[in-house]
């Protein structure tokens, strides 16, 4: 297919409803990971084998699994003895011309007749002592008593309640605990069993497991298609249908390969994979994050691990990510069922609140104010960038105009190239000479010696600090435009070299508005271009030998 889709969930038990939804919509799906499809998991099969045995007493596969769940010490030899006894009991009834049509002769009925509380005196079957060893008989009788109790409950309880009775009577929780390697695996098995009960809840309104909706009387035609199958039979038929669909058909045709299919997997199984569209389901408190991590408290390792898993699941999506949550979740306590209203996951809440805050900020800022702020920001950024590129000192205003009056910028006029010949022209302010070409490698100011320059700069620094021009209290003074223009560093008429355009001469600014920030240059080919004073690709061309 041209695109890939994944349905990702936190626990394996959540796959059951997704699988059934895919079947209902005729959507091909593939469950990835070691757990496999829901009805192929060991704990689910362990529960279903008892239901199948109760519904069909001749189901040999169900008998073999039920006898060993949990282990009762009944091996293959004992089972062969039991099956031989069943065949002999049937033959005896037929040979004695008994009404075999009225006597149930399934292995389940014969097994129940072996129970300790069974009335073997009225049993139509032959005594088992001659066919079953004492060891086999002692192992089968407790199991026969349990199955007898379950069949009585199946005639009065619903499918969901019968599952609860099977778990209690057969002590399946202890069995699941014994076959689980970790506590997380045990919790995962229990959640799968609870989800199986959840699936059986839809048949509650149909009545007890082994009761039929309506008996068709003799001579009555079933014109309306009345279903005379018990609720337990309907449930097992649906499970069988889903199990058959889960099996690969081996259709490798071109149309089948192009058909879109959904990938179902847990978050752990999705690591290392990417899909075009990802549906992250079950984002509610108690499911994701899990109830155990919530109980550990905020800042715990378990809760941080849940947050990391949420990030892993979200990053599986290439282009589309959809996160959903349930408003209500069905939970079980004993044999009771309750529907709890859930809260949205804290992880999903964080994303939704962050998105709403962004929308709120956007609605508060009008397009005109946003544009104005952007232009002001760009203008300030250009000024600060130009100042920082000229020298390492960010306080040029305080250094070069310490004692200058407020109108010094208006009164000051740039000198011509003749007055700045030799590149050592100075700006005199209060008797202090500051070299226009700042200290560079190989450049020496002729009018001021290096030691004197150092002392003068120290004096300027002390005087500036004394006046408070370098303190944090004068932010407005620092943010004000500096009192200088481009001719202070690039005198008009000075020869310059550009790394791309070549040699040229400085000319008066092309635009009066950019006079303080831009340097206008006319190159040898006649091209005139403005450059920022901090442009590192533009430098003055020195003439003669330099020290």
């Amino acid at each position: 297919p041209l695109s890939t889709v994944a349905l990702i969930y936190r626990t394996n038990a959540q796959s059951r409803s997704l699988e059934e939804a895919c079947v209902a919509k005729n959507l091909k799906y593939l469950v990835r990971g070691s757990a496999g499809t829901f009805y192929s998991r060991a704990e689910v099969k362990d529960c279903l084998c008892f239901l199948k045995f109760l519904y069909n007493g001749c189901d040999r596969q169900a008998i073999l699994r039920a006898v060993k769940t949990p282990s009762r010490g009944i091996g293959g030899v004992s089972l062969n003895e039991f099956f031989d006894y069943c065949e002999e009991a049937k033959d005896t009834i037929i040979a004695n011309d008994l009404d075999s049509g009225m006597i149930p002769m399934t292995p389940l009925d014969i097994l129940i007749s072996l129970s300790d509380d069974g009335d073997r005196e009225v049993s139509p079957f032959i005594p088992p002592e001659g066919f079953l060893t004492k060891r086999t008989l002692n192992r089968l009788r407790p199991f026969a008593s349990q199955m007898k109790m379950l069949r009585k409950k199946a005639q009065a309880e619903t499918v969901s309640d019968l599952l609860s009775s099977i778990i209690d009577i057969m002590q399946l929780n202890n069995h699941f605990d014994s076959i689980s390697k970790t506590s997380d695996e045990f919790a995962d098995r229990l959640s799968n069993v609870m989800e199986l009960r959840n699936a059986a809840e839809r048949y509650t309104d149909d009545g007890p497991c082994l009761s039929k909706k309506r008996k068709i009387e003799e001579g009555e035609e079933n014109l309306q298609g009345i279903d005379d199958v018990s609720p337990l039979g309907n449930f097992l038929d649906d499970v069988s249908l889903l199990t058959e669909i889960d099996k690969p058909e081996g259709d490798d045709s071109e149309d089948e390969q192009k058909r879109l299919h959904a990938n179902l997997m847990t978050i752990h199984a999705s690591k290392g994979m990417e899909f075009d569209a990802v549906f992250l389901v079950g984002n509610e408190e108690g499911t994701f994050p899990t109830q155990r991590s919530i109980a550990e408290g905020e800042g715990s390792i378990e809760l941080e691990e849940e947050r990391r898993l949420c990030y892993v699941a979200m990053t599986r999506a290439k282009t589309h990510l959809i996160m959903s949550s349930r408003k209500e979740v069905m939970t079980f306590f004993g044999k009771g069922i309750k529907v709890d209203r859930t809260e949205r996951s804290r992880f999903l809440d964080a994303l939704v609140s962050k998105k709403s805050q962004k929308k709120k900020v956007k609605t508060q800022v009008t397009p005109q104010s946003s544009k104005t702020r952007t232009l002001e920001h760009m203008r300030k950024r250009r000024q600060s960038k130009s100042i920082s590129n000229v020298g390492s000192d960010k306080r040029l205003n305080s250094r070069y105009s310490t004692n200058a009056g407020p109108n010094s910028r208006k009164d000051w006029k740039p000198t011509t190239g003749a007055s700045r010949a030799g590149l050592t022209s100075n700006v005199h302010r209060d008797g202090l000479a500051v070299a226009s070409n700042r200290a560079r490698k190989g450049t020496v100011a002729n009018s001021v010696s290096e030691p004197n320059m150092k002392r003068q700069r120290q004096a300027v620094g002390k005087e500036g600090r004394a006046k408070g021009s370098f303190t944090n209290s004068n932010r407005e003074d620092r943010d004000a435009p500096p009192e200088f223009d481009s001719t202070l560093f690039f005198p008009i008429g000075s020869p310059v070299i550009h790394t791309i355009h070549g040699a040229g001469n400085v000319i008066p600014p092309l635009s009066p508005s950019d006079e303080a920030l831009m340097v206008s240059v006319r190159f040898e080919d006649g091209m005139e271009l403005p450059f920022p004073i901090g442009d590192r690709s533009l430098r003055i061309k020195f003439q003669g030998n330099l020290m």
Side-chain angles (χ1 to χ4, degrees):
L2 298 178
S3 59
T4 54
V5 178
L7 282 75
I8 301 179
Y9 37 84
R10 177 63 180 88
T11 59
N12 285 310
Q14 295 174 259
S15 68
R16 196 269 311 170
S17 57
L18 297 176
E19 293 178 38
E20 294 181 359
C22 290
V23 173
K25 298 297 182 181
N26 194 23
L27 176 62
K28 186 178 179 181
Y29 69 94
L30 175 63
V31 179
R32 297 184 179 272
S34 59
T37 58
F38 179 78
Y39 290 103
S40 66
R41 295 164 191 168
E43 57 275 8
V44 176
K45 287 184 175 181
D46 290 341
C47 294
L48 290 177
C49 72
F50 293 100
L51 295 178
K52 292 179 180 180
F53 192 20
L54 291 171
Y55 179 70
N56 181 10
C58 297
D59 191 341
R60 181 161 293 198
Q61 295 296 327
I63 297 173
L64 294 176
R65 191 175 190 102
V67 167
K68 297 180 180 179
T69 306
S71 179
R72 295 177 172 85
I74 302 175
V77 176
S78 298
L79 287 174
N80 289 334
E81 292 178 2
F82 172 71
F83 289 131
D84 292 340
Y85 171 66
C86 292
E87 294 296 331
E88 189 65 26
K90 292 179 184 178
D91 295 340
T92 303
I93 293 177
I94 295 174
N96 293 334
D97 276 339
L98 297 176
D99 192 357
S100 59
M102 299 299 295
I103 300 175
M105 296 184 296
T106 64
L108 176 61
D109 297 307
I110 298 174
L111 175 66
I112 291 176
S113 68
L114 301 177
S115 60
D116 292 332
D117 55 350
D119 190 2
R120 291 193 296 272
E121 295 180 359
V122 297
S123 175
F125 307 113
I126 59 176
E129 283 77 6
F131 302 91
L132 300 177
T133 62
K134 187 175 181 179
R135 179 181 180 276
T136 302
L137 192 59
N138 291 334
R139 298 293 176 86
L140 285 176
R141 279 177 175 172
F143 180 59
S145 300
Q146 293 174 338
M147 293 305 301
K148 185 177 181 179
M149 295 174 57
L150 290 178
R151 189 163 71 168
K152 288 183 179 180
K153 290 182 176 295
Q155 296 172 353
E157 295 181 349
T158 62
V159 180
S160 179
D161 292 339
L162 180 60
L163 277 172
S164 300
S165 300
I166 291 174
I167 295 172
D168 294 338
I169 294 175
M170 296 298 177
Q171 299 180 356
L172 294 184
N173 286 340
N174 296 334
H175 168 65
F176 298 147
D177 190 12
S178 63
I179 64 176
S180 300
K181 297 180 180 179
T182 61
S183 59
D184 292 338
E185 183 180 351
F186 174 61
D188 193 39
R189 292 182 187 275
L190 290 183
S191 62
N192 286 329
V193 173
M194 294 300 103
E195 188 62 29
L196 181 63
R197 289 185 57 189
N198 191 8
E201 273 299 313
R202 71 184 69 175
Y203 304 92
T204 300
D205 296 337
D206 296 340
C209 293
L210 298 181
S211 65
K212 297 182 179 180
K213 291 183 178 180
R214 175 184 171 184
K215 293 183 179 180
I216 302 176
E217 297 181 359
E218 185 178 356
E220 182 182 359
E221 295 183 1
N222 189 9
L223 299 178
Q224 299 178 353
I226 298 175
D227 187 9
D228 60 343
V229 181
S230 63
L232 180 58
N234 290 331
F235 174 67
L236 294 177
D237 288 343
D238 294 341
V239 171
S240 178
L241 177 62
L242 292 171
T243 306
E244 291 295 328
I245 294 177
D246 292 341
K247 296 179 181 179
E249 300 177 358
D251 189 358
D252 296 333
S253 62
E254 184 177 354
D255 294 338
E256 188 65 22
Q257 291 179 357
K258 290 182 179 179
R259 182 183 175 187
L260 179 67
H261 67 276
N263 297 274
L264 278 63
M265 67 193 75
T266 61
I267 299 176
H268 288 91
S270 68
K271 293 180 180 179
M273 300 182 183
E274 286 186 343
F275 304 91
D276 295 324
V278 169
F279 293 82
L280 181 57
V281 300
N283 293 277
E284 55 266 351
E285 293 288 298
T287 303
F288 191 34
T290 60
Q291 190 63 43
R292 183 163 58 176
S293 63
I294 295 175
E296 294 294 331
E298 192 68 33
S300 61
I301 298 177
E302 288 79 3
L303 196 57
E304 290 301 320
E305 176 66 15
E306 294 291 307
R307 184 175 285 105
R308 186 189 68 83
L309 288 176
C310 182
Y311 173 78
V312 170
M314 293 172 61
T315 53
R316 300 309 94 195
K318 291 182 181 179
T319 56
H320 295 82
L321 173 63
I322 299 175
M323 302 176 67
S324 63
S325 61
R326 295 172 291 183
K327 293 183 178 180
E328 295 179 347
V329 175
M330 184 180 298
T331 57
F332 298 88
F333 55 98
K335 291 188 178 181
I337 300 173
K338 63 177 181 178
V339 178
D340 295 333
R341 294 192 63 86
T342 60
E343 297 180 3
R344 193 167 55 187
S345 172
R346 63 191 67 190
F347 306 143
L348 185 56
D349 265 343
L351 296 174
V352 173
S353 61
K354 188 175 182 180
K355 187 176 181 180
S356 60
Q357 289 177 1
K358 288 184 178 180
K359 289 183 178 180
K360 186 176 180 180
V361 172
K362 289 182 180 179
T363 55
Q364 291 177 353
V365 180
T366 60
Q368 183 177 1
S369 61
S370 177
K371 184 177 180 180
T372 304
R373 291 182 181 181
T374 304
L375 293 176
E376 292 177 357
H377 175 71
M378 292 176 62
R379 189 178 295 110
K380 290 183 179 180
R381 185 177 179 182
R382 186 174 64 175
Q383 291 176 0
S384 61
K385 183 177 180 180
S386 301
I387 297 171
S388 62
N389 289 335
V390 170
S392 60
D393 196 340
K394 297 182 180 179
R395 301 181 179 87
L396 290 174
N397 182 26
S398 300
R399 175 170 292 184
Y400 293 114
S401 59
T402 304
N403 298 322
N407 298 326
S408 59
R409 181 172 181 177
K410 296 181 180 179
D411 299 338
W412 183 80
K413 295 181 180 181
T415 58
T416 61
S419 61
R420 294 175 179 266
L423 304 179
T424 57
S425 301
N426 304 321
V427 179
H428 298 276
R429 296 177 183 175
D430 295 341
L432 178 62
V434 181
S436 62
N437 56 335
R438 301 188 58 186
R440 299 186 184 184
K441 184 178 180 180
T443 305
V444 180
N446 295 331
S447 59
V448 183
S449 63
E450 186 173 354
N452 292 334
M453 176 66 74
K454 192 179 226 181
R455 288 193 294 271
Q456 291 169 358
R457 289 184 177 177
Q458 293 175 353
V460 172
K462 293 179 180 179
E463 184 178 359
R465 285 191 292 272
K467 293 184 178 181
S469 59
F470 289 83
T471 61
N472 292 331
S473 61
N474 295 332
R475 292 183 178 273
E476 297 181 358
D477 296 339
R478 295 206 315 270
D479 295 338
E483 299 294 333
F484 63 90
D485 59 11
S486 60
T487 58
L488 180 63
F489 305 98
F490 292 89
I492 298 176
S494 301
V496 294
I497 295 179
H498 194 272
T499 56
I500 298 176
H501 300 286
N505 294 315
V506 179
I507 60 176
L510 299 177
S511 176
S513 61
D514 294 335
E515 178 180 354
L517 299 174
M518 307 298 289
V519 180
S520 301
V521 180
R522 179 185 290 112
F523 295 98
E524 295 179 350
D525 57 0
M527 183 182 298
E528 297 180 356
L529 296 174
F531 298 95
I533 59 175
D535 193 345
R536 296 183 181 275
S537 60
L538 183 69
R539 59 184 178 83
I540 296 178
K541 181 180 180 181
F542 297 103
Q543 300 176 355
N545 296 328
L546 299 177
M547 298 297 292

Short mmCIF file of all heavy atoms in Angstrom, two decimals, residues 53 56-58 82 86 90 103-112 125 151:
data_model
loop_
_atom_site.label_atom_id
_atom_site.label_comp_id
_atom_site.label_asym_id
_atom_site.label_seq_id
_atom_site.Cartn_x
_atom_site.Cartn_y
_atom_site.Cartn_z
N PHE A 53 -15.59 -27.00 26.78
CA PHE A 53 -15.86 -28.33 27.35
C PHE A 53 -17.27 -28.40 27.90
O PHE A 53 -17.98 -29.42 27.78
CB PHE A 53 -14.82 -28.62 28.43
CG PHE A 53 -14.82 -30.05 28.90
CD1 PHE A 53 -15.37 -31.06 28.13
CD2 PHE A 53 -14.27 -30.38 30.13
CE1 PHE A 53 -15.36 -32.39 28.57
CE2 PHE A 53 -14.27 -31.69 30.58
CZ PHE A 53 -14.83 -32.70 29.79
N ASN A 56 -19.66 -28.26 24.67
CA ASN A 56 -19.56 -29.48 23.86
C ASN A 56 -18.72 -30.49 24.64
O ASN A 56 -17.49 -30.41 24.67
CB ASN A 56 -18.94 -29.17 22.50
CG ASN A 56 -18.84 -30.39 21.61
OD1 ASN A 56 -19.41 -31.45 21.92
ND2 ASN A 56 -18.12 -30.26 20.51
N GLY A 57 -19.39 -31.43 25.27
CA GLY A 57 -18.68 -32.40 26.10
C GLY A 57 -17.83 -33.38 25.32
O GLY A 57 -17.06 -34.13 25.93
N CYS A 58 -17.93 -33.36 23.99
CA CYS A 58 -17.12 -34.27 23.16
C CYS A 58 -15.90 -33.60 22.57
O CYS A 58 -15.19 -34.21 21.76
CB CYS A 58 -17.99 -34.85 22.04
SG CYS A 58 -19.37 -35.86 22.63
N PHE A 82 -8.89 -43.07 30.46
CA PHE A 82 -10.21 -42.44 30.59
C PHE A 82 -11.00 -42.54 29.28
O PHE A 82 -12.20 -42.85 29.29
CB PHE A 82 -10.05 -40.98 31.03
CG PHE A 82 -11.33 -40.20 31.01
CD1 PHE A 82 -12.32 -40.45 31.95
CD2 PHE A 82 -11.57 -39.24 30.03
CE1 PHE A 82 -13.52 -39.73 31.93
CE2 PHE A 82 -12.75 -38.53 30.02
CZ PHE A 82 -13.73 -38.76 30.96
N CYS A 86 -14.57 -44.38 28.44
CA CYS A 86 -15.73 -43.73 27.82
C CYS A 86 -16.29 -44.57 26.68
O CYS A 86 -17.53 -44.74 26.55
CB CYS A 86 -15.34 -42.34 27.32
SG CYS A 86 -14.97 -41.15 28.63
N LYS A 90 -20.10 -46.44 26.58
CA LYS A 90 -21.08 -46.26 25.50
C LYS A 90 -21.50 -47.61 24.93
O LYS A 90 -22.70 -47.87 24.70
CB LYS A 90 -20.48 -45.38 24.40
CG LYS A 90 -20.24 -43.94 24.79
CD LYS A 90 -19.62 -43.18 23.64
CE LYS A 90 -19.28 -41.76 24.03
NZ LYS A 90 -18.63 -41.02 22.89
N ILE A 103 -30.02 -40.98 27.34
CA ILE A 103 -28.88 -40.96 28.25
C ILE A 103 -27.73 -40.23 27.59
O ILE A 103 -27.23 -40.66 26.54
CB ILE A 103 -28.45 -42.39 28.63
CG1 ILE A 103 -29.61 -43.12 29.31
CG2 ILE A 103 -27.23 -42.37 29.53
CD1 ILE A 103 -29.31 -44.57 29.61
N PRO A 104 -27.30 -39.12 28.14
CA PRO A 104 -26.14 -38.43 27.57
C PRO A 104 -24.88 -39.26 27.80
O PRO A 104 -24.64 -39.74 28.91
CB PRO A 104 -26.09 -37.11 28.33
CG PRO A 104 -26.81 -37.37 29.61
CD PRO A 104 -27.85 -38.41 29.31
N MET A 105 -24.12 -39.41 26.75
CA MET A 105 -22.94 -40.27 26.85
C MET A 105 -21.68 -39.53 26.41
O MET A 105 -20.77 -40.12 25.83
CB MET A 105 -23.13 -41.52 26.00
CG MET A 105 -24.25 -42.42 26.47
SD MET A 105 -24.38 -43.93 25.51
CE MET A 105 -24.81 -43.25 23.90
N THR A 106 -21.62 -38.25 26.64
CA THR A 106 -20.42 -37.49 26.30
C THR A 106 -19.34 -37.73 27.35
O THR A 106 -19.65 -38.13 28.49
CB THR A 106 -20.74 -35.98 26.23
OG1 THR A 106 -21.14 -35.53 27.52
CG2 THR A 106 -21.85 -35.72 25.23
N PRO A 107 -18.07 -37.52 27.03
CA PRO A 107 -17.01 -37.65 28.04
C PRO A 107 -17.23 -36.77 29.25
O PRO A 107 -16.81 -37.13 30.36
CB PRO A 107 -15.75 -37.25 27.27
CG PRO A 107 -16.05 -37.61 25.86
CD PRO A 107 -17.52 -37.32 25.68
N LEU A 108 -17.90 -35.61 29.05
CA LEU A 108 -18.17 -34.75 30.21
C LEU A 108 -19.14 -35.43 31.16
O LEU A 108 -18.95 -35.39 32.39
CB LEU A 108 -18.74 -33.41 29.73
CG LEU A 108 -19.16 -32.43 30.82
CD1 LEU A 108 -17.96 -32.06 31.70
CD2 LEU A 108 -19.79 -31.19 30.21
N ASP A 109 -20.21 -36.05 30.62
CA ASP A 109 -21.17 -36.73 31.48
C ASP A 109 -20.51 -37.91 32.20
O ASP A 109 -20.79 -38.17 33.38
CB ASP A 109 -22.35 -37.21 30.64
CG ASP A 109 -23.10 -36.06 30.02
OD1 ASP A 109 -23.49 -35.15 30.77
OD2 ASP A 109 -23.27 -36.04 28.80
N ILE A 110 -19.66 -38.66 31.49
CA ILE A 110 -18.99 -39.80 32.11
C ILE A 110 -18.01 -39.33 33.17
O ILE A 110 -17.87 -39.96 34.23
CB ILE A 110 -18.29 -40.64 31.03
CG1 ILE A 110 -19.33 -41.19 30.04
CG2 ILE A 110 -17.48 -41.76 31.64
CD1 ILE A 110 -18.74 -41.91 28.86
N LEU A 111 -17.35 -38.20 32.91
CA LEU A 111 -16.41 -37.65 33.90
C LEU A 111 -17.14 -37.21 35.15
O LEU A 111 -16.69 -37.49 36.29
CB LEU A 111 -15.64 -36.48 33.29
CG LEU A 111 -14.70 -35.72 34.23
CD1 LEU A 111 -13.53 -36.63 34.65
CD2 LEU A 111 -14.18 -34.45 33.57
N ILE A 112 -18.28 -36.56 35.00
CA ILE A 112 -19.04 -36.10 36.17
C ILE A 112 -19.54 -37.27 36.99
O ILE A 112 -19.65 -37.19 38.23
CB ILE A 112 -20.20 -35.19 35.70
CG1 ILE A 112 -19.63 -33.87 35.14
CG2 ILE A 112 -21.17 -34.91 36.84
CD1 ILE A 112 -20.67 -32.95 34.58
N PHE A 125 -23.63 -46.01 33.77
CA PHE A 125 -22.34 -46.46 33.24
C PHE A 125 -21.77 -47.57 34.11
O PHE A 125 -22.05 -47.68 35.31
CB PHE A 125 -21.36 -45.30 33.14
CG PHE A 125 -21.92 -44.12 32.38
CD1 PHE A 125 -22.18 -42.93 33.03
CD2 PHE A 125 -22.18 -44.23 31.03
CE1 PHE A 125 -22.68 -41.85 32.34
CE2 PHE A 125 -22.69 -43.14 30.33
CZ PHE A 125 -22.94 -41.95 30.99
N ARG A 151 -20.99 -26.98 35.65
CA ARG A 151 -22.14 -27.21 34.78
C ARG A 151 -23.43 -26.74 35.44
O ARG A 151 -24.34 -26.24 34.77
CB ARG A 151 -22.24 -28.68 34.41
CG ARG A 151 -23.28 -28.91 33.33
CD ARG A 151 -23.15 -30.23 32.66
NE ARG A 151 -23.53 -31.34 33.53
CZ ARG A 151 -23.71 -32.60 33.08
NH1 ARG A 151 -23.50 -32.88 31.79
NH2 ARG A 151 -24.04 -33.56 33.91
#
